[in-house]
């Protein structure tokens, strides 16, 4: 079984350290094969990832998550996550989480309604009945906000997953208790992506920062390589903080 995993990331590889660490940790811990799809803006004519209306987005990939069911031809299951994560546990178990009659599986939280969409299990067939048409998603300035409002405040659409799969910056938990760590506070992300336009600060947990750089070294030693950093190939038009 190959798990379809869609990861939202930056266009010009500003998050390349995070991509390397996250993919390395995912593959190291997974008992299933992973089909990883990087979701990044493009300026190539005809690309699915070009000509998205990103005004109002806080990241270079905010609205991409809603395209996952379309990309899966509205069949089967898929997982969406942001790029700024470290995996500690076999993601197969997340993939196999029961959704009952729900469309999405997300962590309970209050930032965007009742649920957090940074890690989502998606029933792609059912999602086709909920999410806007792909052209509308791409062109409408408010499509990301409208999808959040529609889905994340609706108990009918969402099922709560184990919150340890979306653990915000450690949450004072020991590392061996976390299933997936999310560097959700952008000012403190260890790799300091240049697309983020706000103030940067040190991360409050030195053990997490040390682990991030250790995993980067392990990934490179294992034969993985960093993607080449590009210079403003894609010009951004979003909030960035």
């Amino acid at each position: 079984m190959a798990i379809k995993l869609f990861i939202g990331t930056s266009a010009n590889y500003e998050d390349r350290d995070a991509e390397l660490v996250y993919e390395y940790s995912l593959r190291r811990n997974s008992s299933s094969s992973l089909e990883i799809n990087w979701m990044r803006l493009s300026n190539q004519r005809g690309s699915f990832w070009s000509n998205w209306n990103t005004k109002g987005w806080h990241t270079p990939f905010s609205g991409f998550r809603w395209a996952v069911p379309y990309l899966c031809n509205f069949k089967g299951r898929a997982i969406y996550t942001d790029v700024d994560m470290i995996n500690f546990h076999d993601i197969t178990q997340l993939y196999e989480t029961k959704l009952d009659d729900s469309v999405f599986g997300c962590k309970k939280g209050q930032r965007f309604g009742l649920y957090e969409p940074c890690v989502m299990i998606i029933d792609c067939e059912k999602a086709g009945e909920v999410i806007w048409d792909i052209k509308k998603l791409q062109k409408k300035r408010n499509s990301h906000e409208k999808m959040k409002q529609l889905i994340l405040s609706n108990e009918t659409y969402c099922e709560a997953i184990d919150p340890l799969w979306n653990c915000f910056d450690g949450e004072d938990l020991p590392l061996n208790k976390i299933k997936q760590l999310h560097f959700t506070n952008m000012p403190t992300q260890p790799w300091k992506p240049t697309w983020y336009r706000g103030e940067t600060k040190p991360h409050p947990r030195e053990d997490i920062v040390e682990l991030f750089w250790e995993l980067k070294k392990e990934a490179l030693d294992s034969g993985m390589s960093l993607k080449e950093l590009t210079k403003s190939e894609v010009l951004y038009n979003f909030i960035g903080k």
Side-chain angles (χ1 to χ4, degrees), residues 18 28 43 58 62 68 86 99 140 146 166 173 217-218:
R28 183 178 69 171
N43 58 6
H58 286 270
S62 295
V68 170
I86 300 175
L99 294 182
K140 289 288 186 180
K146 289 296 184 181
N166 189 7
L173 293 171
K217 183 178 184 304
E218 282 184 25

Side-chain angles (χ1 to χ4, degrees), residues 101-144:
D101 293 326
S102 297
V103 184
F104 304 90
C106 309
K107 174 182 178 177
K108 279 260 189 178
Q110 299 297 321
R111 293 186 303 163
F112 308 110
L114 297 176
Y115 294 90
E116 305 281 346
C118 348
V119 174
M120 297 196 300
I121 316 165
I122 305 170
D123 182 318
C124 295
E125 182 177 357
K126 290 179 182 177
E129 302 173 4
V130 177
I131 292 175
W132 285 359
D133 173 79
I134 191 63
K135 296 297 183 184
K136 190 175 179 181
L137 280 178
Q138 291 172 322
K139 300 302 179 185
K140 289 288 186 180
R141 176 174 180 168
N142 65 347
S143 63
H144 178 48

Side-chain angles (χ1 to χ4, degrees), residues 73-123:
N73 297 311
F74 303 104
K75 295 178 181 178
R77 275 193 174 197
I79 294 175
Y80 168 84
T81 79
D82 297 345
V83 68
D84 45 1
M85 304 210 172
I86 300 175
N87 175 270
F88 290 90
H89 199 73
D90 186 354
I91 203 164
T92 306
Q93 294 185 17
L94 174 64
Y95 183 80
E96 293 175 346
T97 298
K98 290 184 179 179
L99 294 182
D100 295 325
D101 293 326
S102 297
V103 184
F104 304 90
C106 309
K107 174 182 178 177
K108 279 260 189 178
Q110 299 297 321
R111 293 186 303 163
F112 308 110
L114 297 176
Y115 294 90
E116 305 281 346
C118 348
V119 174
M120 297 196 300
I121 316 165
I122 305 170
D123 182 318

